Every structure is written in C-alpha cells, then in structure tokens.
Amino acid sequence: MKQNEDSLLREKLKEYFGFSSFKGNQEAVIRNVLSGKDTFVLMPTGGGKSLCYQLPALLMDGVAIVISPLIALMKNQVDAMRTYSNDAGIAHFLNSSLNKSAVAQVRNDVLEGRTKLLYFAPESLTKEDNVAFLRKVKVSFYAIDEAHCISEWGHDFRPEYRRIRPIINEIGTAPLIALTATATPKVQMDIQKNLGMSDASVFKSSFNRPNLYYEIRPKHDVDREIIRYIKQHEGKSGIIYCLSRKKVEELTELLVANGIRALAYHAGMDAQTRAANQDDFLMERADVIVATIAFGMGIDKPDVRYVIHYDIPKSLEGYYQETGRAGRDGGDGHCLTFYSYKDIQKLEKFMQGKPVAEQEIGKLLLLETVSYAESSMCRRKTLLHYFGEEYPEENCGCCDNCLHPKPKIDAQASLRMALEALRDLGDKFKADYLASVLVGKNTALIKSYGHNKSEWFGAGADHDIRYWGAVIRQALIMGLIDKNIENYGLLSINAKGEEFIAAPRPVYITLDHDYDEEEKETDAVAPTGKGGAADEELFSMLKDLRKKVARQHDLPPFVIFQDPSLEDMAIQYPITIEEMQNISGVGVGKARKFGEEFIRLIRTYVEEKEIVRPQDMIVKSVGNKSGNKIFIIQAIDRKMDFEDIARAKDLDFDELLTEIEGIVNSGTKLDISYYIEQVIDEDKSNDIYLYFKEDAQSDSLDEAIEELGGDYTEEEIRLVRIKFMCEQGN
C-alpha cells in the first residue's frame, strides 16, 4: 500500500510540476498535510516551500485558502500554477486589485469546484463579504505563507496577520500549514502560539546555503565599489537593497549613467511601473534591480548571482531572507553587505516615537545585526546559530572571515570570568549589561542593581566592551550560555557552562573587526574588489610626493589630498588635469592647485611600467547630486542658515555636513565663517582651528575628539575642519 502511495505522489509530482523527485522534507510535509494534520514548515528560500501546499491542494477535496502578504507574490504564484494546468480557473487571488466582474468570475469558479488554490492578503480575508462567501465553500486546508509576519520578533511584522486565527474560526476550521523561510526559535514559538497550532508537526530544513559567499565591507566610497563590482560581473543578474526610496532612485540613476542596465523597485512607484520593472528583470532585459525590501518575496528567479546590501538590514532574519535570493539554482551567489555603525545609529533614530515595547524589540534585533557585522567569527556559524542550528565545521571556506581570518587569541581566562560573573549576577540581564559590569561602566542601571559594588565590577577593565562582546558571543556559540526565548535576550549559565568553569580548556577567539571609517581612510591600501586593488608602489610614491608638497605649502599632508584620493590615483592612473578631476575627493579647484606635480609623477610611472590604464572604470556622477551641490554653494554664498539649507534639500544636519565636506574636499572654496560665528564660541573655534593647523597628523575626527577633549562636540569640530580645509587647502 505504502509503495502505491509513494508512486502515486511521484506520478502527480511529475504530471503537475514536471519533477521526478522531491527535495529535502517536501514529501514528508505533503504526507502530513494530506493526512489532515497541522503542519509547520521552516524551509530556507529556494527550498521549494510553495510545492508543500500546491501539490496537496491539487489532490484534496475542496479549495485551499492561501494567505500571502504581497499582491505581486500572489500574481506570480497564480500565473505559475496556471502554467501547470489547462484550466485557468485552477488558481485565483482575491484582493483589492480586482474589479467587480473579476471578483464575480473568481467566486463562480470557486463555487463550481474548478479552483483548487485561492490566494488572499490577510486584509482581504477579514472583509465580511469574503468571510460570508467562504462559509459556503469546502476548505481543504489553510496555508499561511511568510508566517514570520505574525511575530513582532519577525523581520516583517504585519499586525493584520495576528487576526488570521479568529477569522479562520469564523469561516470554519480546517487543518493549517504555516510556512516561513526565516524563523528563530522565538519567532517559531510565537507563530505556533498565535495560530493555535502548538501541537503541529514541525518540519525544519537546514538553513545552510553552502553555495553562498558572505562578505561584509566597511561602508567607504560605496557607489564606486558597487559600480566596479557590477562591471567585473557584467551580464550577471543582481539585486541591490537600500533602506530608503530616495537612495534606490539615486543609485539607479548613478548605475544607468555608468552604462549599467539597472531598474528601481519600491512601494512609492505606481503598480504598473513596478510590475514592468520586475518583469524586465525576470526576462533579463535588465541586469540589476535596485530595491527596498519589498522586492523579491517569492520571486522565483533562480540565477541571481549577487545580492548587495547598500545599507545593513534591521534584523538578521531580513538579511538571511534577502541574501537567500542569490544562487537559488545551486550556482554561486555572492552576498556583499556594506556596513557602517552610523547606519545603525540612524535606524535607532527612526525608532524614536514608536511604542516602547516595539523600540526594545527593534534595538535587540539591531544588536544581533551589529554582532554579526562586526564579528570575526565564521559568518555561516553565526547565522545558523541565530536560527537555532549548529554548524560543526570550524571553517566554512565560503565567507570573508574564514578565507581571510584575523589572528586569534586564547580567551580561556576571559571566558571563565564572564561565566562566573554571569552566574553571580543572575539570569535577569542581557549581554551588553554583563559586558558593562566587567569593564566597570558606571551606568544608572548598574547602580540601581548595586552591581557597581560587585567583585566583578571592573574585573575585566583591561579589555574594552567590544572584546567582552566577542567573548560572550563565543560562549553562546559554544552552548555554555542560554538565551531566554520568552524574555528575549536575557542570558543564563547552563550545565555546560558550569562544567567549563570547573575544567576550563583553551578557547581561541578572533577579535572583532574595527570598522572605524576614519581609520579606514588613513589605512594602507585596501583592495577594492577583484582586479581593483591600488598599485602599492605608486601609492607609496604619491604619499612621499604629498609630504614634499605639504612642506612647500606649510600645510598638513591631508589638506593636499586625502588617502582615499591617493588610493584612487593608484587605481585610475590620471595623466591629465581633466582625468584628475574624476578622482574621488578631487574637484576642479584641487586638481588645478595641486594636481600638476602628481600628474607628472603618474605619467612617468605609467610610461616606465607600460601600464594599461582602466579608463572605462571612471565613475560618472549624475545630475541631481550636482544639483544639491550647486544649491548648497549658492545658499552659503547668500549666507543662509545651515538648518534652512538642510530642510530645503530634505537632509538631516549630519548629511548636510557630509555634502559640504565633499564639496570642500574636492577643492571648492566656501566661506562658512558667518555660520560658525553664530553657533561656536570664538575661543573654542580658534582652539579647533589651531589643532588642525599645528597638531593634527590626519583629518581624523576621532583623533580630534580625543585630543581636544569632551568640551568640543563632533559638529563643532566638523564645522571648523571645513573652514580650515577651505582657507588652507583650497
């Protein structure tokens, strides 16, 4: 009998979908659904989740109700189902995009028994007339796709998903299948509890995607790096995710200006344009889609070769799901993310004004993302651990941390100290609290618990918070500490941790990456992608020439050209004033004032070494950025208040200063004294100016803050630094 069932299922799989065998857990899941049991499916992107409800729907009596979050996703799936059947009525969706006659047609097909799958958005499902209609219909089962939307701990929380269970009770109960590609143990528990399916059979596939290469790069000169990367992977399909619609549009425009077939996709565009852009990407009329996270859910394009995150996502679930859109055909997929701690601070600012509970959850999810981005541990190990799966290999051989490891140090004594401190403090605290106690950080919270008087307060002060963060993460990965699922983030020591205290053993950890952007700029040459590394010999010669020119002008070297500009010269080899103006951080003014000697040196070097120059790699800028530039220059000429300039261009103050720094570093002279006189005390302003003129070794903000002390704010230092660069360098 069992054999007959097996062959029947395989026959139907071949007949409807053209596959001769099931993938992973698919068959076991389908059998469970067919036997009328509640089913919970945790299957990574590309694992074949849709088939788990599509095949049983075709085989069972009645119509399967599929609840899905996006109209584009429903349309995509309905179109796909219709290609497997001669009857177009086999699958339908009911949502706000249909007119009255289309709705009547759908209902007619359902009542006649032609329809096996009926897709709803949760908002449509709750409408009274839909509930009344579904009461007349035999429901085979309910499928809740993207079920993580139920949990506020999930990366895409949708409050209306929490109303699904009461509505199902109203329509009439039938078995449930909940499916998601990303769920931590916490989210899984939340989904099952909310859907009233705690007794469901759980099918969990491995989250490991061995064909994906994970890489995090510091966020430095991102536009240029992305253009180089795409040109090195010409003709291949890729997705670039940005957090804001504005950035999506700016980046798309920049890519197009540089000869890349790119299209934008975000919720602010009209539905027709969005659908057309999606189709162009699927049909390979475009190579790159620049999108907000709305793009890609359920879009089955198997040959996406790279996914780039311009901005770090808000949660690791989001990151995992978005990177999971690469390499669904089993071929290579490169997951490249640009990370700056400033982006995290921006995301935290966006949370202000939301309910406190939501802010708390958001901050904890962000903390996990920061840990992942800054950690030097195997990325695969960290990701899989986050989803409750252990990865036994020490080196995955397919992430930046494993292929380019940093030196490791023995943290046996530190790990033991952290475990003992945790045992004594108790299980009411999170990782950052434990780290703060160990370094002796005297916060109000620590005082309120009296832990500033504990023997552990300051016991680890010879290391910083970041170091202790790495130690605590290692303890979590080794399974010596448990993280409370109900009260997310609270840590407690377990039996394995107690064993380690009793019999410690050597434990090697890699210290976290120090993603300090200011430091990055004064670093030795960093490679900028395959074939895009700077010429180290030329870079060194340019630095020597910069010192000489700086002495002649009695200026600090960074005023002449900053390191990223020299690095770019050592990649682009500019040999005319026009070419010099295209170098990062060099505009017309700087090129004319200091460029001649550098051009002579580069020209001689290129001739002697017979170098072929990569002139096709020059990044063209686009109009609207220069529009900003022109507006800012004219506004400063008219002595406009900086706050008014920022408002007019929809920038925050920090972004305005960054724009002005870019203008000034490119050699344009601006007089911002009028604004500085309004907002900074004259003595303070003189002190900062003198520091940059006489003491500064580089233009590093961090060094300036450290040297000048706490009486000077970051904004004050940046403003005076701009004035100094204008007067001395331009």
Side-chain angles (χ1 to χ4, degrees):
M1 180 66 186
K2 170 91 168 64
Q3 210 166 359
N4 287 349
E5 279 177 26
D6 285 356
S7 57
L8 178 70
L9 264 187
R10 283 192 167 76
E11 268 171 42
K12 292 296 176 189
L13 177 71
K14 183 77 181 152
E15 180 189 334
Y16 290 122
F17 298 95
F19 300 129
S20 46
S21 63
F22 288 101
K23 268 166 90 173
N25 286 337
Q26 280 178 333
E27 189 171 357
V29 170
I30 288 164
R31 287 189 180 289
N32 203 63
V33 175
L34 289 172
S35 64
K37 293 176 189 159
D38 284 351
T39 312
F40 185 93
V41 179
L42 201 48
M43 192 181 276
T45 304
K49 286 194 306 301
S50 310
L51 190 88
C52 294
Y53 57 82
Q54 286 168 343
L55 185 56
L58 296 173
L59 300 177
M60 288 169 80
D61 265 356
V63 61
I65 305 301
V66 184
I67 299 153
S68 174
L70 289 176
I71 289 175
L73 172 57
M74 289 180 219
K75 183 183 177 307
N76 191 261
Q77 295 219 343
V78 167
D79 289 348
M81 280 309 297
R82 286 173 179 170
T83 63
Y84 302 134
S85 167
N86 296 326
D87 186 352
I90 192 93
H92 279 299
F93 54 77
L94 270 178
N95 61 36
S96 55
S97 71
L98 300 182
N99 60 30
K100 274 187 180 167
S101 65
V103 169
Q105 175 65 55
V106 171
R107 289 187 172 172
N108 193 46
D109 282 356
V110 173
L111 291 170
E112 284 180 4
R114 295 169 62 197
T115 304
K116 303 305 286 178
L117 287 130
L118 185 55
Y119 287 78
F120 281 94
E123 300 89 336
S124 306
L125 187 71
T126 54
K127 285 183 180 160
E128 275 178 42
D129 57 337
N130 283 334
V131 172
F133 168 68
L134 289 175
R135 279 204 185 121
K136 303 176 198 163
V137 173
K138 178 173 170 50
V139 175
S140 53
F141 61 87
Y142 297 92
I144 294 96
D145 207 358
E146 310 293 350
H148 54 268
C149 296
I150 284 172
S151 174
E152 53 201 1
W153 289 96
H155 63 278
D156 198 21
F157 174 50
R158 302 268 293 257
E160 57 275 17
Y161 256 69
R162 288 189 170 269
R163 296 170 60 201
I164 291 173
R165 183 75 236 188
I167 292 297
I168 286 174
N169 293 344
E170 233 178 284
I171 295 165
T173 54
L176 260 67
I177 172 170
L179 309 100
T180 175
T182 56
T184 60
K186 167 79 180 164
V187 172
Q188 182 186 328
M189 194 174 81
D190 232 17
I191 295 168
Q192 289 186 252
K193 200 166 153 188
N194 194 271
L195 286 173
M197 54 186 297
S198 300
D199 298 332
S201 310
V202 176
F203 297 89
K204 192 171 178 180
S205 306
S206 171
F207 276 77
N208 186 21
R209 298 281 309 279
N211 58 318
L212 298 189
Y213 177 81
Y214 298 105
E215 180 187 2
I216 306 259
R217 287 188 200 171
K219 199 167 189 179
H220 173 65
D221 207 2
V222 193
D223 294 349
R224 186 174 288 266
E225 286 217 25
I226 286 176
I227 288 166
R228 280 206 195 104
Y229 180 90
I230 294 170
K231 289 201 169 184
Q232 285 152 10
H233 298 82
E234 205 141 7
K236 292 186 174 168
S237 292
I239 303 172
I240 303 173
Y241 285 109
C242 307
L243 282 177
S244 76
R245 296 171 187 183
K246 186 179 166 194
K247 179 49 73 184
V248 164
E249 283 167 7
E250 280 176 6
L251 185 59
T252 307
E253 197 179 342
L254 182 71
L255 297 183
V256 170
N258 283 277
I260 292 163
R261 296 193 308 164
L263 291 168
Y265 186 104
H266 62 69
M269 297 161 71
D270 66 272
Q272 208 177 345
T273 310
R274 233 175 28 228
N277 288 359
Q278 180 176 301
D279 285 346
D280 283 349
F281 181 60
L282 291 174
M283 303 310 294
E284 297 184 0
R285 291 187 286 267
D287 294 327
V288 181
I289 273 279
V290 186
T292 50
I293 55 170
F295 180 79
M297 277 182 121
I299 303 303
D300 194 10
K301 183 165 168 60
D303 60 345
V304 172
R305 294 277 75 97
Y306 56 87
V307 170
I308 297 173
H309 278 95
Y310 192 99
D311 305 290
I312 195 98
K314 296 174 195 170
S315 72
L316 278 187
E317 282 102 320
Y319 172 79
Y320 181 84
Q321 188 165 54
E322 286 148 33
T323 54
R325 286 165 193 151
R328 289 173 68 154
D329 56 2
D332 291 346
H334 191 151
C335 309
L336 172 60
T337 301
F338 291 94
Y339 169 72
S340 152
Y341 194 73
K342 278 182 185 162
D343 286 350
I344 298 293
Q345 289 165 326
K346 253 188 208 167
L347 287 171
E348 284 176 338
K349 270 185 198 166
F350 291 154
M351 284 181 215
Q352 285 163 7
K354 289 188 175 176
V356 176
E358 207 176 310
Q359 283 192 50
E360 275 298 299
I361 289 170
K363 280 180 182 169
L364 282 166
L365 292 174
L366 268 183
L367 197 66
E368 299 279 9
T369 311
V370 172
S371 292
Y372 173 79
E374 294 189 358
S375 167
S376 298
M377 258 182 229
C378 166
R379 303 244 181 246
R380 199 162 252 95
K381 206 176 182 72
T382 310
L383 259 188
L384 293 180
H385 181 266
Y386 182 73
F387 290 111
E389 184 180 336
E390 295 314 315
Y391 183 72
E393 306 298 322
E394 276 313 305
N395 186 317
C396 76
C398 203
C399 77
D400 53 350
N401 285 343
C402 286
L403 286 182
H404 310 290
K406 296 265 195 305
K408 289 181 182 281
I409 59 163
D410 186 0
Q412 176 181 328
S414 300
L415 186 51
R416 187 179 183 189
M417 182 191 286
L419 291 170
E420 289 188 77
L422 178 59
R423 180 174 63 187
D424 286 2
L425 296 178
D427 57 4
K428 293 183 179 65
F429 306 101
K430 293 170 184 162
D432 54 347
Y433 184 91
L434 176 58
S436 297
V437 169
L438 288 167
V439 298
K441 199 173 173 188
N442 216 348
T443 67
L445 190 60
I446 286 172
K447 279 183 194 162
S448 72
Y449 280 105
H451 287 146
N452 54 331
K453 298 186 173 67
S454 153
E455 62 172 302
W456 300 110
F457 186 75
D462 48 343
H463 293 295
D464 64 6
I465 282 229
R466 214 172 247 200
Y467 170 84
W468 286 108
V471 169
I472 294 163
R473 269 198 302 282
Q474 184 66 37
L476 275 162
I477 295 258
M478 289 171 69
L480 311 177
I481 288 177
D482 290 329
K483 191 182 280 182
N484 186 321
I485 290 182
E486 270 294 356
N487 203 333
Y488 194 77
L490 302 190
L491 304 180
S492 58
I493 187 167
N494 59 26
K496 277 176 83 174
E498 295 288 1
E499 280 169 28
F500 186 91
I501 291 174
R505 57 192 184 277
V507 171
Y508 291 93
I509 67 164
T510 317
L511 288 183
D512 288 349
H513 293 290
D514 192 355
Y515 283 117
D516 176 3
E517 277 127 352
E518 298 287 348
E519 220 168 90
K520 165 79 183 155
E521 290 185 9
T522 55
D523 244 348
V525 182
T528 45
K530 195 171 85 188
D535 181 325
E536 293 198 31
E537 188 183 342
L538 176 59
F539 182 72
S540 170
M541 291 164 74
L542 291 168
K543 279 181 105 167
D544 290 343
L545 175 59
R546 181 176 65 177
K547 270 185 206 156
K548 186 185 123 194
V549 173
R551 274 198 303 273
Q552 286 166 358
H553 289 85
D554 192 24
L555 288 170
F558 64 84
V559 175
I560 310 298
F561 291 121
Q562 295 182 3
D563 271 12
S565 300
L566 296 188
E567 185 183 321
D568 206 27
M569 290 176 207
I571 293 167
Q572 308 281 356
Y573 304 104
I575 54 173
T576 65
I577 286 287
E578 286 70 30
E579 287 174 3
M580 186 60 100
Q581 288 167 25
N582 285 315
I583 292 297
S584 166
V586 179
V588 179
K590 275 234 159 134
R592 290 200 178 135
K593 187 165 184 180
F594 299 120
E596 203 54 63
E597 282 187 75
F598 288 83
I599 285 165
R600 274 204 302 275
L601 169 72
I602 295 165
R603 195 184 289 130
T604 308
Y605 182 85
V606 165
E607 283 165 9
E608 281 174 6
K609 302 267 180 184
E610 296 179 343
I611 284 164
V612 179
R613 301 181 313 128
Q615 284 315 301
D616 57 329
M617 282 303 206
I618 290 173
V619 173
K620 300 184 182 84
S621 61
V622 290
N624 74 355
K625 282 223 173 138
S626 58
N628 261 6
K629 252 184 208 171
I630 292 160
F631 178 84
I632 291 167
I633 293 166
Q634 288 172 342
I636 289 172
D637 279 348
R638 294 201 309 272
K639 297 189 167 33
M640 214 169 140
D641 196 286
F642 277 23
E643 279 79 3
D644 294 338
I645 301 174
R647 255 195 305 278
K649 281 291 165 191
D650 193 24
L651 301 167
D652 63 31
F653 198 77
D654 177 58
E655 287 170 333
L656 174 65
L657 289 187
T658 305
E659 290 267 1
I660 295 172
E661 283 162 347
I663 294 166
V664 168
N665 290 341
S666 298
T668 303
K669 196 163 188 165
L670 296 175
D671 182 6
I672 66 164
S673 305
Y674 73 92
Y675 182 72
I676 288 176
E677 284 160 17
Q678 285 173 39
V679 296
I680 307 176
D681 176 80
E682 193 180 345
D683 290 344
K684 266 184 159 184
S685 169
N686 290 340
D687 286 349
I688 300 168
Y689 197 95
L690 273 174
Y691 162 76
F692 281 111
K693 179 118 176 64
E694 292 172 6
D695 303 329
Q697 298 302 302
S698 77
D699 66 333
S700 164
L701 202 55
D702 284 352
E703 283 172 24
I705 290 166
E706 203 171 310
E707 190 66 34
L708 290 161
D711 291 341
Y712 302 83
T713 69
E714 185 177 316
E715 270 174 15
E716 289 170 343
I717 294 169
R718 284 177 79 182
L719 283 163
V720 177
R721 182 175 67 173
I722 290 166
K723 178 182 170 172
F724 169 76
M725 294 297 268
C726 283
E727 292 178 358
Q728 301 293 327
N730 295 356

